Amino acid sequence: MPDLLNLLSRWRKQILAVMLLSLLAVGIITFLKPNLYLSVATAVPASSFANDKAKIFNDNIQGLYSTLGSADDLDRIIGTANLDTPYLAVAAQFNLFDHYKISEKGDAAITKAAILLKENTKVMKSEYGEIKVKVWDTDKKLAPQLANAIMEKLQSIHQDIQGAGNLATLKGLKKAKERMNPKADSAFSLEDAALHKEKNRQYDKMIEEYQLVVDSKPLVLVTVEKAKEALKHDKPKRVTIMIATAVLSFLFSLLAALALEKRKPLAE
């Protein structure tokens, strides 16, 4: 194996040329890329039992449940974040097709804008059990608005899902009461009339309780920190990229020089 110092001495010009050309090419590409600013919205999961009617109206049950949710609650929300639904809504809300300079019109423009937004967004679970919505954008004022809007949309979607059961029960109670009430016009004995009145009272009480739960829409996510405007860009990390390019190009050219040195005796 040739001495490394002698190898570097003989091939220094070629190695330097490779490094300079690599740095020039990567530098041009890197410095032509626009600055991307990162904004992060952070929330913790609320307990799914917050939507349980018994927790609200039964004093003995309230203390049994934590106010915070579990990792499973976060997994469901992150699963929703992998869908296109929240990004389509936010893209339409902020007219991102104009921001991204998309030439298409109508639904096609919104769909393409949503795809670009999704590519620039990362929804993740932190090691502390939080959900973080990270958004990168060329506009440092728009980035936090998008992150907060995505978090709010995830909140809205799961509030609707969480309340779907109570809403179905509420509709069933109202229909059951409607079917029972026409009998009030019939002739009742005093005992039957009292029983009918008591049933009506019970239905009214349950309908009132379920209506309160449906209208209140308990939180699914509790915001810990709203996204803020970044002070400096996050991407591209030009200094890091240039250092990595210099190191890799040096190693590549050194290995290439070593391979060529080994072939010399064969050629001779």
Side-chain angles (χ1 to χ4, degrees), residues 46-61:
S47 173
S48 57
F49 292 110
N51 202 46
D52 186 354
K53 182 178 74 69
K55 180 181 184 296
I56 298 174
F57 295 102
N58 191 326
D59 294 334
N60 295 326
I61 294 180

Side-chain angles (χ1 to χ4, degrees), residues 255-266:
L255 290 172
L258 183 59
L260 290 172
E261 280 288 318
K262 285 186 176 182
R263 291 181 61 184
K264 271 187 178 180
L266 296 176

Side-chain angles (χ1 to χ4, degrees), residues 203-220:
Y203 270 114
D204 287 338
K205 183 176 182 292
M206 287 189 292
I207 288 172
E208 183 180 350
E209 290 178 351
Y210 274 101
Q211 187 68 59
L212 178 60
V213 176
V214 169
D215 291 342
S216 64
K217 283 194 171 184
L219 294 176
V220 177

Side-chain angles (χ1 to χ4, degrees), residues 115-128:
I115 291 172
L116 292 173
L117 174 61
K118 189 175 181 180
E119 289 175 352
N120 291 323
T121 301
K122 183 178 182 181
V123 180
M124 57 175 286
K125 180 169 61 176
S126 76
E127 58 184 317
Y128 301 109

Side-chain angles (χ1 to χ4, degrees), residues 26-79:
V26 173
I28 290 173
I29 295 171
T30 303
F31 282 91
L32 285 177
K33 285 186 175 181
N35 291 334
L36 292 177
Y37 297 89
L38 170 64
S39 288
V40 184
T42 305
V44 293
S47 173
S48 57
F49 292 110
N51 202 46
D52 186 354
K53 182 178 74 69
K55 180 181 184 296
I56 298 174
F57 295 102
N58 191 326
D59 294 334
N60 295 326
I61 294 180
Q62 286 181 8
L64 297 178
Y65 302 128
S66 169
T67 56
L68 295 180
S70 64
D72 292 337
D73 296 321
L74 274 188
D75 289 339
R76 286 191 291 269
I77 296 169
I78 291 173

Side-chain angles (χ1 to χ4, degrees), residues 80-244:
T80 303
N82 291 324
L83 304 176
D84 293 335
T85 305
Y87 306 100
L88 287 167
V90 174
Q93 178 184 347
F94 286 88
N95 296 328
L96 291 183
F97 41 83
D98 290 334
H99 175 61
Y100 293 139
K101 297 179 173 57
I102 296 172
S103 57
E104 287 88 345
K105 302 295 181 183
D107 291 342
I110 295 175
T111 300
K112 192 169 183 179
I115 291 172
L116 292 173
L117 174 61
K118 189 175 181 180
E119 289 175 352
N120 291 323
T121 301
K122 183 178 182 181
V123 180
M124 57 175 286
K125 180 169 61 176
S126 76
E127 58 184 317
Y128 301 109
E130 302 164 324
I131 183 170
K132 290 182 177 289
V133 176
K134 299 183 175 183
V135 174
W136 287 266
D137 198 85
T138 54
D139 186 341
K140 64 180 179 180
K141 295 184 181 296
L142 180 60
Q145 296 179 50
L146 295 176
N148 290 328
I150 291 170
M151 185 74 83
E152 289 169 6
K153 188 60 186 175
L154 292 173
Q155 172 93 266
S156 175
I157 291 172
H158 280 270
Q159 278 182 317
D160 291 341
I161 294 172
Q162 188 171 261
N166 286 328
L167 183 60
T169 303
L170 176 62
K171 290 179 179 178
L173 287 170
K174 288 180 177 179
K175 286 182 180 179
K177 184 183 176 183
E178 287 174 3
R179 288 194 298 268
M180 184 186 71
N181 277 337
K183 297 178 181 179
D185 298 331
S186 306
F188 283 122
S189 65
L190 290 177
E191 184 178 347
D192 289 340
L195 181 61
H196 186 270
K197 185 177 180 180
E198 177 60 22
K199 283 184 178 180
N200 255 316
R201 190 191 67 78
Q202 291 175 358
Y203 270 114
D204 287 338
K205 183 176 182 292
M206 287 189 292
I207 288 172
E208 183 180 350
E209 290 178 351
Y210 274 101
Q211 187 68 59
L212 178 60
V213 176
V214 169
D215 291 342
S216 64
K217 283 194 171 184
L219 294 176
V220 177
L221 292 168
V222 180
T223 301
V224 175
E225 185 178 68
K226 282 187 170 291
K228 301 185 292 292
E229 184 179 321
L231 297 177
K232 59 181 182 179
H233 72 272
D234 183 68
K235 295 180 181 180
K237 301 183 185 298
R238 295 186 175 94
V239 174
T240 303
I241 291 172
M242 298 303 286
I243 292 173

